[in-house]
Amino acid sequence: MTRYKQHWRDLWFLQYYASQAPARLNMPTSEMVKTRIDPISEENRQLIRKELAQLLKNPLISNSKRYPALLGYVVEKTLSGRSEELKERTIGIDVFHRVPDYDNNNDTIVRVAAGEVRKRIALIYLEAAEDHPIQIVLASGSYVPEFYRYSPNNDVPRREWTERAIPELSQAAAGLPALVD
């Protein structure tokens, strides 16, 4: 299969996969508590490495050679306190084995791979956010990962957000006919 066909097949797969995300994830993000984690303590570093291992096992990441290498490299550099070294050129040299004087304007492998990793991580978390209380995020425009702990806001009962996310459930529970599109 040519690279062109492979690329379009991958794009179709990602779009289809995102469209099949379960409706139960329509919980508003304001009802999730997002706390940034600093990888200072050994306990936090172990939690982040556990999440990295879980991401690297996911087929969206593991079915490629480039994506696990890039994700593992940037996370481990950050955990070791050397995030200032995460520049496009150093990643190209260290991860993708480019020569030290390669032209990163013409060879966009690092930017393309980072964009794909961002999309795939977002899809993984979209599908099963509750399975990932610790989340690794590669913010757009940066190669330095950020680490977050997500937990439900206990101020809002689960029944309330379920009824808001899926109005048909609350109407059926009240004995009202469900709205049909």
Side-chain angles (χ1 to χ4, degrees):
M1 181 178 298
T2 66
R3 262 193 247 180
Y4 180 77
K5 288 181 182 177
Q6 176 73 31
H7 175 73
W8 284 107
R9 191 192 73 183
D10 289 348
L11 282 176
W12 174 85
F13 173 75
L14 289 173
Q15 289 172 345
Y16 173 78
Y17 197 72
S19 70
Q20 299 301 313
R24 62 184 162 74
L25 293 179
N26 287 338
M27 184 174 98
T29 56
S30 62
E31 295 175 8
M32 290 293 284
V33 177
K34 176 181 172 180
T35 309
R36 187 167 181 163
I37 299 174
D38 289 322
I40 296 171
S41 73
E42 185 59 34
E43 178 186 351
N44 284 347
R45 286 194 295 268
Q46 290 304 320
L47 289 172
I48 293 166
R49 282 189 177 104
K50 183 178 175 186
E51 175 61 21
L52 174 63
Q54 193 175 1
L55 284 176
L56 294 177
K57 289 179 188 174
N58 190 296
L60 286 175
I61 303 287
S62 67
N63 286 342
S64 170
K65 291 180 183 177
R66 293 178 180 172
Y67 307 148
L70 175 65
L71 184 60
Y73 179 81
V74 298
V75 169
E76 287 301 328
K77 278 280 193 189
T78 303
L79 292 180
S80 66
R82 299 185 328 210
S83 60
E84 68 279 351
E85 297 175 16
L86 292 174
K87 306 288 184 211
E88 182 177 0
R89 180 168 303 281
T90 57
I91 294 171
I93 294 166
D94 294 345
V95 177
F96 300 116
H97 310 293
R98 298 300 193 247
V99 293
D101 61 343
Y102 88 101
D103 183 9
N104 55 355
N105 289 325
N106 290 330
D107 189 353
T108 61
I109 187 169
V110 177
R111 281 177 271 158
V112 170
E116 281 297 315
V117 168
R118 285 182 189 104
K119 284 188 254 179
R120 289 167 189 252
I121 288 174
L123 284 172
I124 291 167
Y125 292 148
L126 177 69
E127 179 187 66
E130 65 275 355
D131 294 340
H132 301 273
I134 304 296
Q135 295 188 3
I136 300 170
V137 176
L138 278 178
S140 185
S142 175
Y143 300 111
V144 179
E146 298 171 354
F147 311 107
Y148 295 97
R149 175 175 282 131
Y150 282 82
S151 58
N153 185 350
N154 292 330
D155 295 339
V156 179
R158 188 173 181 92
R159 182 170 179 239
E160 286 182 24
W161 68 255
T162 304
E163 289 174 356
R164 283 199 303 267
I166 309 170
E168 295 82 13
L169 290 179
S170 59
Q171 291 173 349
L176 301 172
L179 297 174
V180 178
D181 289 334

